[in-house]
Amino acid sequence: MPTPLDIRALAGPDAYPEWLRAVSTGFFRGPGTVGEQEVAARALDTDLDRIQGAYDGERCVGTFRTLPQSLTVPGGALLPACAVSSVTVSPTHRRRGLLSRMTANALDAAKERGEVCATLVAAEYPIYGRYGFGPAAWTTDWEVLVARTGLDRRYAGPADLGDGGRVDLVDAAEFRALMPAVHERFRTGRHRQGAIDRRAKWWRTATGALRFPDDGFTPAFHAVYRDADGQPQGGVSYTSDDVWQAKQPEQTLTVRDLFATTTAGETALWRFVLAVDWVLRVRTGCRAPDDILPMLLPDPRAARTVTHADWLWLRPLDVPRMLAARDYAAADALVLEVRDQDGYANGRFALETGGPRGGARCAATREEPEVSLDVRELGSLFLGDESAVRLAALGRLAEHREGAAERAEALFRTARRPWCQDMF
């Protein structure tokens, strides 16, 4: 008979290296042991109580981790979320229900802790819908042919744009010191829902202060945008290859991170990276699908879409708290019926909205529903990216009162699309 497979939280720090080995196996990072420096680096800011392992005897054959997360919702409010990460099952132990068991454990614990939703970045699209997750924010990566943009190559800095700001190159230490506060202002803005918090470990890793052998890190250049008053309002990190052909530079500049609290700052940072000498192409990295970049160019066709795909997935756990937290585009009242086979978010809910900045209320109700949908579809609607009308056309949202889908559309859709710039 097959050996029973045990799922349990880590017994303590001594079990962590074996768990990391299983993660490396699951993600094809390489077989073998994990070095002491890597263990020490990854253990920082890691809550072992939120890590599960699936074990065949003493060998870890499945991994699952959650971490606390702060998610920005439409209007700028922050919701406590359960971020799912490091999900693997070894190739020898697939199709035995290990992922289902670990997911159920994690969602039970998240509900008990009072986390309002769960989030993840899915390696494969078909997996997580059956656990109640829906794609809530998408990402686009462009490759820009600099010579075709139509921008004036004589551009020398933000002063050319007349905003009084400036862009300065800084070292990694200064960038790490300045940018956390700027990013916090950026992510709590009213029009960029989907952003998540960055903890101190994130900044140390991203700027090379936290390293271990064979971590794949490439040092980046860093620049800060300062406004006319000298205050930092944005930043960019980028790398560049060193390609020459027939004694001509053909560099590709790759943006690793770019954000700003103002449109002036965002524009100045894009103009900066698009004007760096020797650069033939700019790869934008993970951007919102409605980023200003393509339309910033006199010839938007110079930006070719390389990747357009789902990114942040969301799984509702507490519908009243979720729906009451965000802003809505109109004042209305809507009764929703949510189907959740796992029970976390199942029920009928009356939503009353006060329009932009008008607040909202949501509570369980016995009223007849005007629309009904699966919990994963609510996850897709919540941040404002998906269309209720499109879901109705696809048969994924049922309309029980004429015009209810259009009213839901008017409530949930947002002026700007959600954007999560980070992997977790």
Side-chain angles (χ1 to χ4, degrees):
M1 295 182 61
T3 304
L5 300 175
D6 184 28
I7 292 177
R8 58 180 183 267
L10 294 196
D14 291 345
Y16 191 50
E18 165 65 9
W19 186 87
L20 284 177
R21 180 207 56 75
V23 173
S24 293
T25 298
F27 284 123
F28 291 97
R29 293 174 184 160
T33 59
V34 178
E36 291 183 4
Q37 289 177 279
E38 180 176 354
V39 172
R42 294 191 183 280
L44 289 175
D45 202 21
T46 296
D47 185 350
L48 297 183
D49 290 337
R50 296 183 70 139
I51 294 178
Q52 299 179 70
Y55 291 86
D56 188 345
E58 294 305 312
R59 185 175 183 82
C60 187
V61 296
T63 62
F64 198 109
R65 177 193 177 201
T66 69
L67 53 152
Q69 185 180 81
S70 174
L71 174 69
T72 305
V73 304
L78 307 179
L79 284 184
C82 173
V84 174
S85 184
S86 303
V87 179
T88 74
V89 176
S90 293
T92 52
H93 289 73
R94 297 177 303 147
R95 311 296 184 261
R96 303 195 195 181
L98 296 179
L99 175 57
S100 295
R101 291 167 62 188
M102 291 189 290
T103 300
N105 290 344
L107 295 181
D108 285 346
K111 185 78 171 180
E112 186 173 343
R113 283 190 299 264
E115 290 162 336
V116 177
C117 59
T119 61
L120 56 83
V121 178
E124 296 181 79
Y125 194 100
I127 295 175
Y128 291 99
R130 64 180 183 266
Y131 302 116
F133 289 84
W138 290 61
T139 184
T140 304
D141 177 9
W142 288 277
E143 180 180 84
V144 183
L145 297 177
V146 175
R148 289 188 52 188
T149 62
L151 294 172
D152 187 346
R153 294 291 290 173
R154 295 171 296 176
Y155 172 79
D160 288 359
L161 303 177
D163 71 352
R166 58 180 292 163
V167 173
D168 298 308
L169 284 169
V170 299
D171 62 20
E174 186 174 0
F175 195 80
R176 185 168 58 249
L178 292 175
M179 285 299 103
V182 179
H183 183 266
E184 193 64 13
R185 295 202 309 273
F186 156 77
R187 82 175 189 96
T188 55
R190 297 186 58 83
H191 302 297
R192 196 44 88 187
Q193 67 278 9
I196 59 175
D197 58 321
R198 292 177 170 179
R199 305 174 84 174
K201 179 182 175 182
W202 188 98
W203 291 102
R204 293 185 62 196
T205 302
T207 56
L210 184 61
R211 298 286 309 276
F212 54 84
D214 300 319
D215 59 5
F217 179 79
T218 301
F221 298 96
H222 306 284
V224 173
Y225 169 80
R226 291 181 169 91
D227 63 19
D229 296 324
Q231 296 302 308
Q233 300 291 357
V236 60
S237 299
Y238 62 92
T239 60
S240 183
D241 57 13
D242 187 20
V243 175
W244 291 70
Q245 297 288 343
K247 213 173 186 305
Q248 295 291 327
E250 295 187 1
Q251 313 282 349
T252 296
L253 183 152
T254 300
V255 174
R256 186 177 290 175
D257 192 26
L258 187 154
F259 62 89
T261 62
T262 65
T263 301
E266 189 177 1
T267 300
L269 291 169
W270 280 125
R271 290 298 305 271
F272 168 71
V273 299
L274 289 166
V276 175
D277 288 338
W278 294 5
V279 171
L280 188 67
R281 299 177 181 85
V282 170
R283 285 291 298 269
T284 67
C286 174
R287 308 302 302 174
D290 62 347
D291 194 278
I292 67 169
L293 175 64
M295 299 309 295
L296 179 66
L297 310 178
D299 184 355
R301 292 184 186 179
R304 177 175 64 93
T305 300
V306 177
T307 303
H308 176 72
D310 56 283
W311 188 253
L312 183 73
W313 289 58
L314 190 147
R315 203 273 186 226
L317 293 172
D318 187 333
V319 173
R321 285 178 64 193
M322 273 183 55
L323 297 189
R326 59 157 287 179
D327 274 4
Y328 296 87
D332 201 351
L334 187 70
V335 178
L336 307 92
E337 182 172 61
V338 180
R339 298 182 301 273
D340 184 354
Q341 64 180 6
D342 298 313
Y344 304 108
N346 200 61
R348 293 180 183 177
F349 305 95
L351 172 65
E352 297 181 20
T353 69
R357 306 192 184 198
R361 294 183 298 173
C362 184
T365 184
R366 294 184 179 179
E367 295 181 50
E368 289 299 312
E370 296 171 274
V371 297
S372 59
L373 68 171
D374 189 86
V375 63
R376 60 188 174 187
E377 314 303 350
L378 180 61
S380 294
L381 281 174
F382 177 63
L383 293 179
D385 200 48
E386 187 52 84
S387 161
V389 171
R390 180 163 69 170
L391 290 178
L394 291 167
R396 299 176 186 174
L397 179 148
E399 184 181 61
H400 305 293
R401 177 175 294 178
E402 186 176 357
E406 286 82 359
R407 287 168 48 218
E409 175 88 5
L411 287 176
F412 281 93
R413 288 298 282 269
T414 52
R416 296 293 301 272
R417 296 183 69 174
W419 179 39
C420 178
Q421 63 197 128
D422 295 316
M423 174 71 77
F424 53 89

